[in-house]
Amino acid sequence: AQLKHLMLDSTFLANYNIDINGNSGAGILTGTAVGGASVSGGQLDLAYQDVRYVDYDADLNADSQQVGCIRFQYTPNYSGVPAGHRACFSIMKANGDSTNLVTVYHSSSGNIHIIIFDQNNTAIIGNISLGGWSPVAGTQYEFELNFDITAGATRLFIDGVQFGATQTQTGIRSADIGVLRVGGY
């Protein structure tokens, strides 16, 4: 017998087995690679000291306003502290416009940070450090950000264990959410 992986109510999935495009989703699945981002060995390869990422249309794929869950696998090419900030993903109004931003990144100080901005480009959760994280190069980790800015219950999990404190801030994000970005530097 084999377990079947079910993602109920999911709106976007990219497994990077073949290319940068999404595999399933409620919106447009075509990815746009920036800076040489590409797929290698069944993973999105961003392991360089430059800016590389893939943008997707967030409309219907990642446009949850108040409550959402983003789950991703992350395999760092460094152990301990990165040489520079490593953005895992960002969801925002548009390229260069952080209105309605939701992001998780590993900072050059070694801390994991989350940021959530509202419909007026004001911080709801303003660059909060959840604590130091020291990964091992080549090891795959599963991250899951569960955000609820209506009830005030935003949590990050790494490999199924809550990382840092629950964030209780509340606010309002609008439907003006156009970009899902995977990666960055």
Side-chain angles (χ1 to χ4, degrees):
Q2 191 175 35
L3 293 176
K4 183 176 182 179
H5 183 70
L6 295 176
M7 291 183 21
L8 301 175
D9 296 328
S10 67
T11 58
F12 182 78
L13 169 70
N15 66 17
Y16 303 118
N17 283 338
I18 299 171
D19 60 28
I20 63 166
N21 295 324
N23 297 87
S24 64
I28 297 169
L29 302 178
T30 304
T32 302
V34 175
S38 63
V39 171
S40 176
Q43 294 184 335
L44 181 59
D45 184 8
L46 306 171
Y48 302 89
Q49 298 295 325
D50 58 12
V51 178
R52 292 174 191 238
Y53 56 87
V54 177
D55 278 352
Y56 302 93
D57 185 342
D59 189 35
L60 300 175
N61 287 325
D63 58 357
S64 299
Q65 291 173 236
Q66 296 298 108
V67 177
C69 172
I70 298 97
R71 184 182 310 152
F72 58 93
Q73 294 173 333
Y74 184 69
T75 307
N77 67 329
Y78 58 90
S79 291
V81 177
H85 292 346
R86 298 290 190 260
C88 300
F89 75 89
S90 301
I91 301 167
M92 61 206 137
K93 178 179 178 178
N95 188 25
D97 187 341
S98 58
T99 302
N100 294 316
L101 175 71
V102 177
T103 190
V104 170
Y105 72 93
H106 193 199
S107 74
S108 58
S109 68
N111 294 324
I112 298 287
H113 293 255
I114 60 173
I115 302 171
I116 299 180
F117 281 4
D118 70 8
Q119 62 191 350
N120 299 312
N121 204 20
T122 303
I124 297 169
I125 299 175
N127 204 11
I128 298 293
S129 170
L130 297 177
W133 183 60
S134 185
V136 175
T139 302
Q140 186 175 77
Y141 300 90
E142 183 172 271
F143 280 62
E144 181 174 315
L145 176 68
N146 294 301
F147 68 91
D148 183 340
I149 56 172
T150 299
T154 297
R155 299 173 179 88
L156 181 72
F157 297 86
I158 300 176
D159 290 337
V161 177
Q162 185 170 341
F163 187 85
T166 300
Q167 301 302 305
T168 59
Q169 301 89 326
T170 60
I172 307 270
R173 293 173 73 232
S174 73
D176 199 1
I177 303 167
V179 175
L180 164 61
R181 176 168 295 160
V182 178
Y185 182 52

